[in-house]
Structure formats: structure tokens, C-alpha cells
Amino acid sequence: MILGDLRRDDLELRDLVLDLAALADAGLIRAWGVNNWSAASIQALIDLAAAEGVPGPQIAQLKYSVSRRSIPDGEPFARLWEQGLTLQASDCLEGGILAGKVNGDRQIGRDPGGIRERIIADVPAFTAVADDLDVTPAQLGIAFTLTHPALTTTLFGASRVAQLRANLDAAALVDRVGAAELRRLVEPFWADRGVVDPEGP
């Protein structure tokens, strides 16, 4: 179970932790996590769960891509990864933009830091790197997420079986090139560096 962006000012975190523990005890959920919560709020959940002797959050769903990485790669979340929290990467292709779909009417998510125009401007150079590696831009974008040491899952869309298979082949790129080299190659596309607070939303 992933908890979305609740109105945390109106939320008693201890009650939340205990209610989720009761759901787990009843066999209704196996684990739980949060979606786009700040590092401080997640740490509060972890601390409350430890104090109550119940399981805390196991996963944080965050925007994570070659362009948006300041939060998952920042120091506040690094401390959470060290405690065993895992990452679910979402919006890894920026609503299809990093896959080359820069024109279209598709509604895509929030734009923390107001960097979407920079991301669009980077698409030709990003595509050139993918071409040099003999992969699609989508494969390169997905492969990047696989280099995060705390990653558990990457969310991506696929409308055809062939597209699904191609996206799954991103893992082979990490094996072929290596995580460190892959991260070096996409470093120029890190658009939210110094723009977005690494503490999170």
C-alpha cells in the first residue's frame, strides 16, 4: 500500500503507523510506503514505528529520472536508504518527453522546480547518447533508474507488448555499460540540480 500526498498537517502520524500495522496484522496488506513525502516526514514515520515496535514504511515512491534526481540522490534521502527504505522510481521518462514525445496533448504530472522546458531542450542530446549506446531513449531513461542502490521498482508505461519487452531490455544496458559509466554519460541532463530542495516535497 502506497500512501499519497495526504494533508499531513491534519494527520496524526502515530495513528497512521498503528492503523497500518493493524492492517498488516490482519493480513490485508504486506507492506506500506509513501508517495512524494519529504525525508523529514518519512523519518518521523520510521521513528514512530520503531518506538511502537511495528513495521514502518518500506518504500518511497519519488520522481526519479536522468533529469529529476536531486531528491532521491540527495543527502536527506541517502540517510533513509541507509536505514533500509527502498525507492520506487516514478515518472522516469517525464511523461514520455525523455522518450522523444515532446509534442502532444498528454497531461503529465507536476513540474517541481519549473525545469520541464530545460528537459525538453535536452531531448536531442539525450537521444544522441542513446543512439551512441544503440538503445532507445526510453531504454536509457529506464536503465538510469536501475543504477540507484536503493531501487526496488521502476514504474513505466507500455501500450504494446513489443514496447514492454523493449523497456525490460533496459537492464541489459546496465550490465553492458556499468552503473557508474551510465551515470556519467547522463550527468549533463541532471536538470533539477541546485533547483529542487533535496529534502523533498
Side-chain angles (χ1 to χ4, degrees):
M1 169 183 275
I2 300 289
L3 300 175
D5 189 15
L6 304 173
R7 293 190 57 188
R8 278 156 269 174
D9 291 344
D10 298 336
L11 186 65
E12 177 55 56
L13 294 182
R14 181 178 175 278
D15 291 346
L16 175 67
V17 166
L18 293 176
D19 288 347
L20 289 165
L23 290 175
D25 286 344
L28 297 174
I29 62 172
R30 287 187 287 173
W32 61 278
V34 295
N35 176 5
N36 292 328
W37 283 39
S38 71
S41 294
I42 298 170
Q43 185 65 63
L45 292 170
I46 292 170
D47 293 344
L48 284 165
E52 296 293 337
V54 298
Q58 293 185 357
I59 193 167
Q61 181 180 318
L62 300 169
K63 286 178 175 282
Y64 190 57
S65 71
V66 297
S67 304
R68 296 188 190 275
R69 47 190 282 204
S70 290
I71 293 172
D73 283 353
E75 183 58 33
F77 271 90
R79 291 191 294 270
L80 296 176
W81 310 139
E82 289 170 1
Q83 295 175 64
L85 189 74
T86 62
L87 171 65
Q88 181 175 67
S90 68
D91 211 10
C92 66
L93 299 176
E94 191 71 18
I97 290 171
L98 289 169
K101 299 175 183 174
V102 295
N103 299 316
D105 299 326
R106 184 172 182 266
Q107 183 69 32
I108 55 179
R110 297 183 313 113
D111 183 15
I115 60 169
R116 189 157 291 139
E117 291 305 315
R118 155 80 194 274
I119 295 170
I120 292 170
D122 281 344
V123 167
F126 180 71
T127 300
V129 172
D131 288 345
D132 288 346
L133 293 169
D134 197 27
V135 296
T136 67
Q139 288 171 321
L140 178 56
I142 293 166
F144 166 78
T145 69
L146 303 178
T147 68
H148 193 287
L151 185 85
T152 298
T153 57
T154 296
L155 302 177
F156 61 81
S159 56
R160 301 179 315 280
V161 172
Q163 185 182 28
L164 173 63
R165 288 183 178 136
N167 288 350
L168 293 175
D169 285 342
L173 176 60
V174 181
D175 291 340
R176 177 166 53 95
V177 176
E181 176 64 5
L182 195 58
R183 291 179 76 86
R184 185 192 70 77
L185 290 170
V186 299
E187 184 80 10
F189 310 113
W190 185 351
D192 73 349
R193 180 178 12 211
V195 175
V196 172
D197 181 358
E199 165 65 25

